[in-house]
Amino acid sequence: MASSETREKGSEDLAGLEAGLDALETPATAQERPPIGRILVSKVLPPVVAIALVLAVWQGAYWADLRRNDALPSPLDVGDEFAEMWRQGTLFEYIWTSVSRGVFGFVIAVAVGTPLGLAVARVKVVRAAIGPVLTGLQSLPSIAWVPAAIIWFGLTNSTIYAVVLLGAVPSIANGIVSGVDQIPPLYLRAGRMLGASGLTSVRHVLLPAALPGYLAGLKQGWAFSWRSLMAAELIVQSPSLGTGLGQLMDGYRAMQNMSGVLATIILILVVGVAIDLLFFSPLERRVLRGRGLLARVS
């Protein structure tokens, strides 16, 4: 009976410790939200102005005939390519093919990179053996894996996912290693004093305390996943694979259609920015604000 009560008390203490880590240095009072007008001026207006300047410079270069019109189309020519894809009903099909591949590959990379990073961070022998390899793999261009993956798996989706994994896993693993390395030793000692060990310590102490670094690794891992995916799609092409953004861009290149190439580049950029703005940036702000590391702007 006493043992059961002790275990229950230990679980409550660990839950309290986890909540305490999340609320560390949280501001005592939340400030009022800034007015919508100020948000528009500070957050929306700068990127709109930047995009307008880029389009103006682009149009000016087109009017100045710096390149032949087929090599440097105008923004309106590129817009016509978007309109054509919209009329054909293929625009979202191309985007979905690439995004679904990228998300699926990223999820697998998280499932592989997270335990690998924890092992490297907490086991000295594993860190000595694998740590330098992870750093080297992170600096290796993703496109270097494409020829080997084609030999291993042929022109299949497995080749694309292999390139995505090899590009993203090192970043995710190194992110959690960095996050664990920055945990104050006091947190780990407090967890041990409360009976946390093994997976319990990982769940209630390591991961909550390492969350900012881990999230940065996930964000970088997604960037590497997206870049690796585009590199793979540019080379791995087969009618059975469907058409993603990388295959679309190479098809435009084969037709010497520079407007289509630039339209695809813009789509790749927009999707990458949208994923970051809609998912990673809000999550990162929430985590940092919850730990008192990001003040709310009034």
Side-chain angles (χ1 to χ4, degrees), residues 64-289:
D65 291 329
L66 296 181
R67 296 280 184 179
R68 301 188 318 271
N69 289 349
D70 60 337
L72 181 61
S74 70
L76 290 179
D77 294 331
V78 176
D80 289 340
E81 291 294 337
F82 286 122
E84 181 63 23
M85 285 187 279
W86 178 269
R87 284 193 295 269
Q88 294 177 355
T90 57
L91 178 62
F92 291 108
E93 178 183 342
Y94 298 142
I95 294 174
W96 172 248
T97 298
S98 290
V99 170
S100 61
R101 286 172 176 165
V103 171
F104 183 68
F106 177 70
V107 170
I108 299 175
V110 171
V112 174
T114 299
L116 179 61
L118 288 171
V120 172
R122 300 301 297 166
V123 182
K124 293 182 180 180
V125 175
V126 176
R127 172 173 291 204
I130 301 179
V133 177
L134 286 177
T135 302
L137 289 175
Q138 188 173 356
S139 63
L140 184 68
S142 302
I143 199 170
W145 289 110
V146 178
I150 291 176
I151 294 174
W152 291 335
F153 304 108
L155 297 178
T156 64
N157 274 319
S158 298
T159 296
I160 296 176
Y161 291 131
V163 175
V164 171
L165 284 175
L166 291 167
V169 167
S171 296
I172 296 172
N174 281 329
I176 197 167
V177 169
S178 177
V180 171
D181 286 346
Q182 296 175 24
I183 298 176
L186 178 62
Y187 294 172
L188 302 178
R189 289 199 296 268
R192 285 194 295 268
M193 290 290 293
L194 294 172
S197 61
L199 293 178
T200 303
S201 177
V202 171
R203 176 186 174 187
H204 292 284
V205 181
L206 282 180
L207 287 180
L211 192 55
Y214 181 39
L215 185 57
L218 292 178
K219 187 175 180 179
Q220 189 178 46
W222 165 253
F224 274 82
S225 294
W226 191 238
R227 290 167 51 185
S228 303
L229 176 64
M230 292 302 105
E233 287 186 346
L234 277 170
I235 301 175
V236 182
Q237 301 188 28
S238 172
S240 62
L241 293 178
T243 303
L245 294 175
Q247 286 111 346
L248 178 66
M249 181 163 56
D250 192 63
Y252 281 130
R253 188 272 314 162
M255 295 185 295
Q256 296 292 302
N257 185 344
M258 191 61 183
S259 296
V261 170
L262 290 177
T264 310
I265 290 174
I266 292 172
L267 282 176
I268 294 171
L269 178 63
V270 167
V271 171
V273 172
I275 294 294
D276 179 74
L277 291 179
L278 295 176
F279 181 73
F280 287 105
S281 291
L283 183 59
E284 187 177 34
R285 287 195 300 269
R286 180 177 179 180
V287 170
L288 293 178
R289 185 176 292 122

